[in-house]
Amino acid sequence: MKRQLVRVVLVAIFVLAFPFRSPAPLVYRPGEGWTYEPVGEGKWTRTRAKDQLDVAQAAFDKKDYSLALKAARRVVRVWPLSDYAPQGQYLVGRCLEAQGKDEKAFAEYQKVLEKHPKLSNYHEIVQRQYDIANKYYAGKWFRLWGYVPYPSRDRTADMYAKIVKTGPYSDVAPQAQLKIGAVREKQRNYPSAVKAYEAAADRYHDRPQIASDATYNAGLAWNKQAQTAEYDQTTAGQAIATFTDFTALYPTDTRVPDAQKRIGSLKTEQAHGNFQIAKFYEKYHKWKGAMVYYNEVLVQDPNSPYAAEAQKRIAVLKERTQQTPKTAEQPKKADEQPKKTDEQPNKPAEKPKKPSKEEPIKWPEVN
């Protein structure tokens, strides 16, 4: 009993002699709920939106991003309809970006642009979104649940798409539209890349540099698609048409010689594809079909290495198609046809009747 009393006294003396900070308390505020705050740090809260925003801005200027984030979020949560809410929302994004949480920062910036499109620093926010998207385009990974890293080109393209949708005529929107096409090219999704480039060329046709880049890149995407399908002549034709439009619309562009070179190469490839198809038809004795595709070789690229051989094969196949095939039997002359007589009635001879079950079968007599 005495030992237990001594222990209690010693513990009490230790607690009184060496005081320490107790765990942070839970604080309840009407309209906000319960919050966790360390003792002595509840002085950052204010009763007016402007004063609370001043606390957030002061903490941000001191690079105390944790406190600035809490104060800015409180402005948005408690006074969402005040004139200070947009700036508070903007500071939330700035704090997250400063902490390296770019994906979350992008989302907070998006909220600002959607809810407050007339914000004075609108273009700055869009530029920040564009810079964040470029980080992921360059190879930065997203984080699942904030921890598990993973790459996603679809999400990167979605970031650029949001920039274009929110501010289609901002300074960075044209470049963002082009980047959508570039992301799709990295995925080898060339049809989607072409769509993105064509959208850029149509929407920003009044910006020659953007429109020319978009048209040229669309031609490159078609060219890459044509290389993945040897016998698909449609994509090669699309590439030729796009490069032809590029040379006609922007004749002074420094990339015109390259476009013309690619057109020649694509036509040669088309000739090669048609030559292969013609050989296939000829192998299975489809002479007319083979002649059609050999003729396409001459039409598409008469100077290709396949043109001379195509001409030879056309000459050979013409001879084969002009020959009259021999029939197995020659038709009889009119005077050699059998004449009809009374003994040859027009009616067909009656078939012999099978013996019925009732009639007995007559067997031949055996000698």
Side-chain angles (χ1 to χ4, degrees):
M1 187 68 180
K2 292 182 179 180
R3 291 180 179 179
Q4 292 180 356
L5 181 61
V6 171
R7 289 176 183 174
V8 172
V9 172
L10 290 175
V11 170
I13 293 173
F14 177 79
V15 172
L16 294 174
F18 302 98
F20 56 90
R21 295 179 66 181
S22 61
L26 291 174
V27 179
Y28 177 81
R29 293 187 179 87
E32 298 183 46
W34 294 93
T35 57
Y36 180 84
E37 294 180 359
V39 176
E41 294 187 10
K43 297 180 180 179
W44 62 272
T45 60
R46 297 292 184 271
T47 57
R48 296 195 311 165
K50 182 181 181 306
D51 296 338
Q52 189 68 73
L53 183 62
D54 290 341
V55 172
Q57 187 64 57
F60 182 82
D61 294 340
K62 295 178 182 178
K63 297 184 179 180
D64 187 355
Y65 302 121
S66 178
L67 177 58
L69 183 60
K70 289 194 299 182
R73 278 178 169 166
R74 187 167 187 270
V75 173
V76 178
R77 185 173 62 251
V78 180
W79 301 280
L81 302 179
S82 69
D83 295 337
Y84 305 99
Q87 186 65 18
Q89 186 71 58
Y90 166 73
L91 275 178
V92 170
R94 289 295 306 274
C95 291
L96 291 170
E97 186 179 359
Q99 292 176 342
K101 300 175 182 179
D102 291 324
E103 186 179 1
K104 292 183 178 180
F106 186 97
E108 296 299 331
Y109 289 144
Q110 188 67 22
K111 291 179 183 178
V112 179
L113 297 176
E114 291 177 356
K115 294 180 180 180
H116 313 284
K118 295 183 179 180
L119 201 63
S120 59
N121 57 340
Y122 173 88
H123 293 285
E124 179 210 342
I125 297 173
V126 176
Q127 181 65 53
R128 288 187 176 279
Q129 281 191 311
Y130 182 70
D131 293 339
I132 291 173
N134 285 342
K135 291 181 183 179
Y136 291 101
Y137 176 80
K140 184 174 181 177
W141 286 20
F142 294 88
R143 289 187 176 273
L144 183 63
W145 301 314
Y147 298 99
V148 182
Y150 70 99
S152 177
R153 287 173 179 157
D154 284 333
R155 298 193 68 175
T156 304
D158 184 62
M159 282 184 168
Y160 287 122
K162 287 181 178 178
I163 293 171
V164 175
K165 183 178 179 180
T166 306
Y169 298 103
S170 62
D171 296 336
V172 298
Q175 292 296 335
Q177 183 65 47
L178 290 176
K179 282 292 180 66
I180 296 174
V183 172
R184 297 307 182 192
E185 279 196 73
K186 284 188 174 183
Q187 293 178 310
R188 297 185 179 180
N189 187 353
Y190 301 118
S192 296
V194 169
K195 288 181 181 179
Y197 290 136
E198 288 178 346
D202 292 340
R203 180 175 293 171
Y204 306 109
H205 62 275
D206 56 339
R207 304 188 189 189
Q209 186 61 49
I210 297 297
S212 61
D213 289 347
T215 306
Y216 181 75
N217 290 338
L220 292 178
W222 277 127
N223 192 12
K224 292 177 182 178
Q225 176 68 17
Q227 293 174 358
T228 62
E230 183 177 358
Y231 296 109
D232 186 3
Q233 301 299 315
T234 304
T235 53
Q238 292 284 0
I240 292 172
T242 305
F243 280 130
T244 302
D245 291 342
F246 173 76
T247 57
L249 294 171
Y250 312 102
T252 59
D253 195 289
T254 56
R255 293 167 292 185
V256 167
D258 180 72
Q260 293 173 337
K261 183 179 178 180
R262 291 181 183 276
I263 290 173
S265 178
L266 284 164
K267 286 184 176 180
T268 301
E269 187 62 29
Q270 274 190 321
H272 174 253
N274 284 315
F275 188 82
Q276 295 295 329
I277 297 173
K279 288 177 63 178
F280 174 83
Y281 277 105
E282 187 177 0
K283 179 180 178 181
Y284 290 96
H285 299 181
K286 305 294 183 181
W287 314 128
K288 292 183 179 179
M291 288 177 62
V292 169
Y293 282 98
Y294 279 133
N295 189 63
E296 283 295 320
V297 173
L298 301 177
V299 171
Q300 289 170 347
D301 193 358
N303 299 320
S304 71
Y306 307 101
E309 184 63 24
Q311 284 181 331
K312 293 179 182 179
R313 299 313 305 164
I314 289 174
V316 172
L317 293 176
K318 279 184 178 180
E319 292 181 2
R320 291 183 179 178
T321 55
Q322 289 173 358
Q323 290 177 356
T324 304
K326 294 182 179 180
T327 56
E329 295 184 357
Q330 295 293 335
K332 294 183 179 180
K333 295 181 180 179
D335 55 353
E336 295 180 357
Q337 297 294 333
K339 296 180 179 180
K340 294 182 180 180
T341 61
D342 296 338
E343 296 178 357
Q344 295 177 341
N346 294 331
K347 295 182 180 180
E350 295 182 358
K351 295 182 180 179
K353 296 181 179 179
K354 293 182 180 179
S356 62
K357 294 182 179 179
E358 298 178 356
E359 296 179 357
I361 300 174
K362 296 180 180 181
W363 300 97
E365 295 181 359
V366 180
N367 295 328

